[in-house]
């Protein structure tokens, strides 16, 4: 099970890759009068660089393991309910969730969406992720010191100030042509393999598998998104609240942290629940004070 947990964490890499600005630029014109509420933990939209004949189609990748299927469908529902753009969804998941995801779509209001389900092969992680590579001494996820082991020469050689604030790769966008040109995937895999050998960063935290190599590769090579396109920390505490007026202006809501909106207790869960679609198989259910779970 530790390896499966790491696999689920690495799905974060896939789902966080490249996204919101594509939606921002492609959907902005058709959503000016609409509010987009999205639960984005463990999945995000990804620019797949559509073929020339389909340049008017917005490709979105959503990656999630079985226990996130209902959250995935809520995200899809929120997108299609708040844009007039043509969207094609790529759903990346593990084998045990392929049939569940397909049934979820085909037996609900989502049956009309354009989509493809892709099975994630865990073998791509061989030599890149250790089941036991947690680092309890690296547990402060705000600065680079919280992610990287500065006792290792490989980290010192990077020349990154350990007190520098880390960026949050849970939601970000990239130019796919540049991504390919600079061989970003190879760079990320290089640092994952380096950590496999040297244990130079933490994998203990949520996203620990994905975040450190991204922090290294993208250090000082990014600009910030408009904060309204990534309203985060909703899942850090059951007591942390944003003003309703601010949330009404938000374009993307991120319940990063342990307090998820489908569970109890979580803040502003009503904003997420408005997009929730009941699971036809009954596997994914909401946990509420009056429920049995």
């Amino acid at each position: 099970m530790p390896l499966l947990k790491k696999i689920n964490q690495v799905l974060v890499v896939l789902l966080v890759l490249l996204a919101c600005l594509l939606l921002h630029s492609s959907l902005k014109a058709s959503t000016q009068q609409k509010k987009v509420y999205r639960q984005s933990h463990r999945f995000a939209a990804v620019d797949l660089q559509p073929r020339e004949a389909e340049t008017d189609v917005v490709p979105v990748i959503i990656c999630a393991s079985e226990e996130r299927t209902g959250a995935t469908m809520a995200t899809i529902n929120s997108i299609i309910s708040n844009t007039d753009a043509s969207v094609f969804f790529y759903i990346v998941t593990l084998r045990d969730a392929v049939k569940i995801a397909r049934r979820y779509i085909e037996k609900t209001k989502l049956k009309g969406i354009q989509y493809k389900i892709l099975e994630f092969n865990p073998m791509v992680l061989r030599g890149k992720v250790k089941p036991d590579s947690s680092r309890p001494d690296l547990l402060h996820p705000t600065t680079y010191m919280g992610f990287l082991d500065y006792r290792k020469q490989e980290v010192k050689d990077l020349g990154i100030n350990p007190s520098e604030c880390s960026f949050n790769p849970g939601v970000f966008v990239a130019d796919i042509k540049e991504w390919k040109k600079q061989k970003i995937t190879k760079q990320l895999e290089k640092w994952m393999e380096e950590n496999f050998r040297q244990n130079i960063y933490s994998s203990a935290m949520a996203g620990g598998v994905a975040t450190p190599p991204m922090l290294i590769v993208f250090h000082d090579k990014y600009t910030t998104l408009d904060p309204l396109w990534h309203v985060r920390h909703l899942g850090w505490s059951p007591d942390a609240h944003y003003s309703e007026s601010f949330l009404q202006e938000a374009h993307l809501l991120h319940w990063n942290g342990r307090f998820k909106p489908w569970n109890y207790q979580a803040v502003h869960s009503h904003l997420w629940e408005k997009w929730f679609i009941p699971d036809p198989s009954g596997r994914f259910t909401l946990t509420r004070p009056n429920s049995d779970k």
Side-chain angles (χ1 to χ4, degrees):
M1 294 310 292
L3 180 57
L4 179 59
K5 181 179 179 181
K6 294 303 176 186
I7 291 172
N8 287 339
Q9 288 181 323
V10 171
L11 283 175
V12 178
V13 178
L14 301 175
L15 62 97
V16 300
L17 291 180
L18 315 183
C20 288
L21 200 53
L22 174 68
L23 288 178
H24 177 72
S25 59
S26 300
L27 308 185
K28 183 177 180 181
S30 61
T31 57
Q32 288 180 343
Q33 304 302 318
K34 299 179 180 182
K35 305 300 180 186
V36 181
Y37 300 111
R38 295 186 56 213
Q39 194 283 338
S40 66
H41 185 71
R42 294 194 179 275
F43 48 81
V46 179
D47 179 1
L48 290 182
Q49 197 176 346
R51 296 186 295 273
E52 287 188 19
E54 299 176 338
T55 53
D56 59 337
V57 175
V58 179
V60 175
I61 284 187
I62 298 175
C63 306
S65 52
E66 180 181 343
E67 64 268 21
R68 305 290 187 186
T69 305
T72 298
M73 301 307 160
T75 296
I76 293 175
N77 188 29
S78 73
I79 293 174
I80 65 174
S81 298
N82 290 284
T83 183
D84 296 324
S86 179
V87 182
F88 195 103
F89 295 94
Y90 294 86
I91 302 170
V92 182
T93 190
L94 297 170
R95 177 174 296 180
D96 59 359
V98 170
K99 290 183 179 179
I100 297 171
R102 181 173 291 112
R103 182 181 180 187
Y104 215 133
I105 292 172
E106 295 178 351
K107 298 296 183 180
T108 66
K109 62 177 288 187
L110 300 179
K111 61 184 178 182
I113 68 170
Q114 301 179 78
Y115 77 99
K116 184 175 183 179
I117 299 176
L118 304 171
E119 181 182 334
F120 178 72
N121 181 6
M123 294 303 294
V124 303
L125 304 180
R126 177 174 288 180
K128 301 182 181 71
V129 176
K130 288 183 180 179
D132 60 347
S133 61
S134 64
R135 294 294 306 278
D137 54 322
L138 300 173
L139 291 174
H140 191 269
T142 302
T143 67
Y144 274 80
M145 178 65 82
F147 287 98
L148 307 181
D149 187 348
Y150 278 83
R151 294 168 296 187
K152 299 295 178 68
Q153 189 61 44
E154 293 86 347
V155 174
K156 292 179 181 179
D157 290 344
L158 293 171
I160 300 175
N161 186 336
S163 63
E164 183 175 343
C165 288
S166 59
F167 76 95
N168 187 332
V171 177
F172 78 101
V173 61
D175 183 321
I176 297 303
K177 290 183 179 180
E178 279 298 314
W179 183 280
K180 294 179 178 179
K181 180 180 177 180
Q182 298 186 35
K183 297 180 173 59
I184 297 299
T185 299
K186 291 294 184 182
Q187 292 187 50
L188 294 171
E189 289 179 341
K190 168 197 168 185
W191 284 106
M192 293 175 72
E193 291 167 353
E194 187 68 20
N195 186 61
F196 188 87
R197 294 189 295 267
Q198 302 291 338
N199 201 22
I200 62 175
Y201 59 69
S202 170
S203 297
M205 299 170 290
V209 172
T211 300
M214 295 173 76
L215 292 178
I216 294 172
V217 172
F218 296 127
H219 176 254
D220 208 24
K221 295 180 180 179
Y222 66 91
T223 56
T224 59
L225 284 173
D226 182 332
L228 290 178
W229 280 96
H230 189 193
V231 177
R232 53 201 172 96
H233 302 326
L234 275 76
W236 274 23
S237 167
D239 302 314
H241 290 267
Y242 288 94
S243 70
E244 286 297 323
S245 61
F246 175 70
L247 293 174
Q248 290 301 316
E249 294 298 320
H251 303 310
L252 185 148
L253 301 182
H254 188 174
W255 278 267
N256 57 320
R258 57 181 293 197
F259 299 96
K260 305 305 182 189
W262 53 87
N263 291 330
Y264 181 82
Q265 181 179 20
V267 300
H268 306 297
S269 57
H270 65 287
L271 294 177
W272 179 88
E273 192 170 340
K274 68 186 296 185
W275 308 116
F276 171 69
I277 299 174
D279 182 359
S281 71
R283 291 173 179 259
F284 188 93
T285 58
L286 301 183
T287 303
R288 296 296 182 258
N290 58 352
S291 68
D292 294 333
K293 293 189 177 184

